[in-house]
Amino acid sequence: MLDFKEIIAEKISKITQLDINELKNYIEIPPNKDMGDYSFPCFKLAKTLRKAPQIIAEELKSQLSVDENIEKIEIVNGYLNFYINRISMTRSVLEEFEKKQELFGSNDSGDGKTVLVEFSSPNIAKPFHIGHLRTTVIGAALNNIYKYLGYNTVRLNHLGDYGTQFGKMIEGYKKWGNEYNLDENPIEQLMDIYVRINELCKEDENVLDACRNNFKMLEEGDSYCVELWNKFKDLSLKEFCKTYDLLGIEFDSLNGEAFYSDKMQEVIDILNTHGVLVESEGAKIVDLEDKKLGVCMIEKSNGSTTYATRDLAAILYRARTYNFDKCLYVVAYEQNLHFKQVFEVAKNLPIPEKCKNGLEHVSYGMIRLSTGKMSTREGTVVKVNELLQEAIDRVLKVIKEKDPNMENKEEEAKKIGIGAVIYNNLCSTIIKDQVFDWDTALNFNGETGPYIQYVYVRTKSVLEKAGYLPKFEEVNINILQDDASQSVINSLYNFESVLMNVVQKNDPSFLSRYLIELAQNYSNFYNENKIIDDNKDIQNARVYLTYATGKVLKIGAGLLGIEMPNRM
Ligand code: ARG
């Protein structure tokens, strides 16, 4: 595909002798089409060239010439606006699409680089809440998109399976295990045991001691304690897997915190040797006050290790195992400080510089429900499986009312319901808090997953109606020169750069918003143009554009984890 930004940058570089890439980075997309397709802000060169932007613009313009790609150049307030030749743009996009088809938008920019995406990471014996749903959805999307751009990716689930609470769980189970049937709703039951034992600990110091002792025995590998811990872990994982199955998500590694329990001493020794570990009130810490990051606790005064130390051990292990270029932590913003501290301390680890520089916290905002309806007794924890199931049920109900003859209703309802929830998690910049509201998420006409699916299904029915797919050679590009067709072409052209933006910012919402724009542009094209037409020339071109749009909607949604229904 022609890179128009590059073409423009090259032209300007020839005149100014400035670096093409630098110039390319300055090029903007104007807020509206009347101002052209690309815009070069001349003030960026004012300092280097020691001239006023308006003068630079005039001088550049007088030396730039239009050609088969650039049809017009205009000066507006010190900006040079470039109008791309529509034929050239259309041909470039459709040729590329014809060549790449299912792989349109992909590239090999990530070749040879390894990205670890750590996401989801729920805690054993605790509910999988909607915060975990958000990291799961964001992480899976990031993983897919990196992969599509040629990176070698590894999906890590850093399970919370370690900590003193397991000593308590074991004690509670020893006492009351026979009262519970853990095969049914295991997480609720385990939570119940946990609440009960906590109450008892408050009343009775001896019970608390027993719990501590259990944890110690667990760490030392006592077979009974380990067996119970494994049981809790298996039961919890089984529950979590129900969610992962619904979302269609898999992991390459489920090494949780406990996996690092025998790998922490090395970290402590390294920090000691580096002279950064200091004693403070019996605990061992790394003082990060000079970086305004407080202190990072490495070992508590009672000798037990910490969450941060396990993360440091994980970095060491991951660098050795994967020699990664990037390691992304998709974790809510409450842990901002934690990751800043851990990444700072990790500078002391004997790992390649590229690994140290590749550590990145992909911080995301909270998700809240607009109604309290699905809350459990505590009033805050929402069970994700119930939420997903409710989404499916709501869609199924609508289908039964509106389209009772639809085939595979359950299957289609699942794709739409889950798609709606996934999209809702990704619809705006991930760092922002997000409200989950049923009517908004399931609105077929809003900026939603179902809307994208709906437009996709429309492209499919257009193709069915046409009954054939025109050969690329039969497509007359001149037919697609109207504004509505061009908006679709433009969107298709931008697909790859949107994906590149996602990995640059680690925010899949660039893609979610893009898909809405593409769907809207297609709807507009559909409304303004007769696709099935007596004139075969017209029909071929429009059917082909419909085909390409459907494909890109499907590829893009697939990258976000959203499947396309067959009918809607
Ligand atoms: N289990 C933690 C939680 O639910 C998230 C773990 C994040 N990852 C990490 N490497 N610390 O809050």
Side-chain angles (χ1 to χ4, degrees):
M1 206 158 51
L2 290 177
D3 183 342
F4 293 111
K5 273 193 183 179
E6 181 135 337
I7 291 174
I8 294 169
E10 219 172 76
K11 283 178 183 287
I12 300 179
S13 166
K14 272 215 185 96
I15 301 168
T16 59
Q17 308 302 322
L18 297 170
D19 178 58
I20 294 188
N21 283 325
E22 182 190 334
L23 294 169
K24 193 175 164 186
N25 279 335
Y26 294 150
I27 298 176
E28 299 169 10
I29 310 246
N32 72 60
K33 278 278 158 217
D34 299 344
M35 298 160 84
D37 298 289
Y38 296 97
S39 188
F40 186 82
C42 295
F43 70 86
K44 294 273 191 193
L45 306 184
K47 231 180 174 167
T48 330
L49 301 180
R50 296 162 177 278
K51 284 176 192 160
Q54 185 66 23
I55 311 256
I56 296 173
E58 273 156 27
E59 286 183 2
L60 284 178
K61 188 176 176 226
S62 70
Q63 295 179 67
L64 285 164
S65 51
V66 294
D67 57 19
E68 74 279 13
N69 295 318
I70 295 167
E71 163 172 292
K72 192 167 74 170
I73 305 167
E74 274 180 1
I75 302 176
V76 179
N77 301 330
Y79 279 81
L80 273 177
N81 292 344
F82 294 83
Y83 296 75
I84 302 300
N85 179 292
R86 291 184 167 196
I87 300 278
S88 158
M89 162 80 80
T90 313
R91 181 172 304 118
S92 175
V93 174
L94 294 186
E95 272 176 1
E96 174 82 0
F97 175 76
E98 176 65 16
K99 198 169 80 201
K100 292 183 93 174
Q101 301 276 338
E102 263 74 22
L103 290 175
F104 183 73
S106 67
N107 62 38
D108 54 13
S109 54
D111 250 13
K113 292 191 206 102
T114 297
V115 177
L116 313 184
V117 188
E118 192 216 273
F119 64 106
S120 199
S121 310
N123 302 317
I124 296 300
K126 297 246 180 76
F128 190 105
H129 54 70
I130 48 173
H132 291 127
L133 174 64
R134 199 157 194 215
T135 142
T136 307
V137 166
I138 295 169
L142 282 176
N143 172 78
N144 296 339
I145 296 165
Y146 269 101
K147 210 174 169 138
Y148 201 61
L149 297 178
Y151 292 83
N152 169 36
T153 65
V154 186
R155 296 159 296 184
L156 308 175
N157 191 334
H158 190 74
L159 288 173
D161 56 1
Y162 194 88
T164 44
Q165 76 267 27
F166 290 100
K168 289 184 177 169
M169 297 288 315
I170 292 168
E171 193 58 24
Y173 189 81
K174 273 193 207 164
K175 286 192 175 329
W176 311 299
N178 55 1
E179 293 173 28
Y180 293 85
N181 173 10
L182 290 186
D183 292 329
E184 247 172 67
N185 290 331
I187 293 185
E188 259 168 62
Q189 315 247 10
L190 290 173
M191 282 293 286
D192 208 72
I193 295 178
Y194 187 62
V195 171
R196 257 174 100 178
I197 192 74
N198 260 322
E199 310 245 288
L200 203 59
C201 282
K202 271 183 226 149
E203 289 163 20
D204 189 343
E205 190 70 21
N206 291 331
V207 179
L208 190 59
D209 279 342
C211 295
R212 288 196 185 117
N213 194 42
N214 287 336
F215 181 60
K216 202 160 158 262
M217 283 174 29
L218 176 64
E219 283 200 289
E220 287 162 0
D222 171 79
S223 62
Y224 179 71
C225 290
V226 171
E227 189 192 318
L228 275 186
W229 173 82
N230 268 322
K231 186 183 166 98
F232 302 153
K233 186 164 160 172
D234 289 347
L235 286 167
S236 306
L237 265 179
K238 224 164 114 195
E239 279 300 295
F240 299 156
C241 281
K242 286 186 194 160
T243 310
Y244 297 144
D245 284 347
L246 277 171
L247 295 168
I249 284 170
E250 286 171 65
F251 292 93
D252 301 302
S253 163
L254 288 168
N255 286 339
E257 291 183 42
F259 177 79
Y260 301 101
S261 57
D262 62 354
K263 300 174 178 56
M264 286 185 278
Q265 191 54 48
E266 187 181 356
V267 170
I268 296 173
D269 293 344
I270 292 167
L271 296 178
N272 228 339
T273 322
H274 274 236
V276 292
L277 208 57
V278 289
E279 292 262 342
S280 165
E281 296 166 30
K284 291 186 178 136
I285 59 156
V286 177
D287 189 342
L288 301 171
E289 286 298 358
D290 58 334
K291 303 260 166 10
K292 299 217 161 26
L293 294 175
V295 296
C296 182
M297 175 85 77
I298 300 294
E299 196 179 284
K300 293 184 195 157
S301 53
N302 64 7
S304 61
T305 53
T306 66
Y307 180 54
T309 318
R310 286 188 284 287
D311 262 325
L312 288 162
I315 291 173
L316 192 55
Y317 175 83
R318 290 170 183 176
R320 284 173 180 158
T321 310
Y322 304 104
N323 189 23
F324 60 82
D325 296 274
K326 274 192 199 183
C327 179
L328 308 180
Y329 295 79
V330 186
V331 184
Y333 64 54
E334 290 106 311
Q335 298 196 31
N336 278 359
L337 178 63
H338 166 75
F339 284 107
K340 280 196 183 129
Q341 291 182 335
V342 167
F343 296 167
E344 190 56 40
V345 178
K347 290 184 180 161
N348 296 291
L349 298 178
I351 58 174
E353 274 315 295
K354 71 160 185 177
C355 297
K356 292 181 190 174
N357 296 330
L359 298 167
E360 205 168 316
H361 177 202
V362 179
S363 188
Y364 64 85
M366 302 262 280
I367 189 140
R368 266 184 269 273
L369 293 167
S370 61
T371 66
K373 204 194 143 258
M374 289 154 305
S375 313
T376 56
R377 275 164 296 156
E378 295 89 288
T380 47
V381 181
V382 175
K383 288 193 225 124
V384 167
N385 280 341
E386 280 175 18
L387 178 107
L388 293 174
Q389 196 53 53
E390 180 163 353
I392 298 171
D393 293 345
R394 282 176 184 244
V395 174
L396 191 59
K397 198 169 151 238
V398 176
I399 293 178
K400 282 183 177 156
E401 275 164 26
K402 297 214 167 130
D403 193 359
N405 298 323
M406 186 194 271
E407 279 175 48
N408 301 324
K409 287 190 203 57
E410 275 79 16
E411 190 107 326
E412 302 290 48
K414 187 176 153 196
K415 291 179 189 163
I416 301 167
I418 300 283
V421 174
I422 292 180
Y423 193 88
N424 192 265
N425 270 279
L426 300 174
C427 63
S428 54
T429 308
I430 58 169
I431 191 64
K432 277 218 231 141
D433 288 347
Q434 173 69 22
V435 176
F436 184 85
D437 169 71
W438 284 113
D439 294 332
T440 315
L442 293 175
N443 182 353
F444 285 24
N445 287 314
E447 298 189 355
T448 63
Y451 174 69
I452 295 166
Q453 291 169 321
Y454 174 73
V455 174
Y456 167 76
V457 169
R458 175 172 278 175
T459 66
K460 273 196 46 155
S461 51
V462 169
L463 296 179
E464 264 163 43
K465 213 162 169 194
Y468 74 103
L469 189 65
K471 287 209 187 66
F472 181 59
E473 301 77 60
E474 293 166 353
V475 174
N476 178 353
I477 282 172
N478 294 317
I479 308 255
L480 302 171
Q481 301 311 306
D482 61 290
D483 287 349
S485 307
Q486 282 296 303
S487 298
V488 178
I489 295 280
N490 252 300
S491 290
L492 296 177
Y493 180 81
N494 290 333
F495 185 47
E496 183 175 341
S497 70
V498 167
L499 298 179
M500 296 292 280
N501 232 341
V502 169
V503 303
Q504 205 193 343
K505 308 262 166 54
N506 285 320
D507 187 344
S509 71
F510 287 100
L511 176 56
S512 359
R513 276 173 286 148
Y514 164 83
L515 290 174
I516 293 292
E517 180 198 296
L518 174 60
Q520 284 170 345
N521 285 339
Y522 180 80
S523 292
N524 189 38
F525 160 82
Y526 177 93
N527 292 334
E528 298 211 347
N529 288 310
K530 202 158 156 255
I531 300 177
I532 304 300
D533 198 285
D534 291 340
N535 181 330
K536 204 68 182 178
D537 222 23
I538 291 183
Q539 177 165 306
N540 283 344
R542 292 181 180 162
V543 168
Y544 193 85
L545 188 59
T546 299
Y547 169 65
T549 304
K551 270 266 149 59
V552 175
L553 286 173
K554 185 169 175 168
I555 297 170
L559 291 171
L560 296 180
I562 299 173
E563 281 187 77
M564 288 302 190
N566 292 310
R567 224 173 114 166
M568 246 171 119

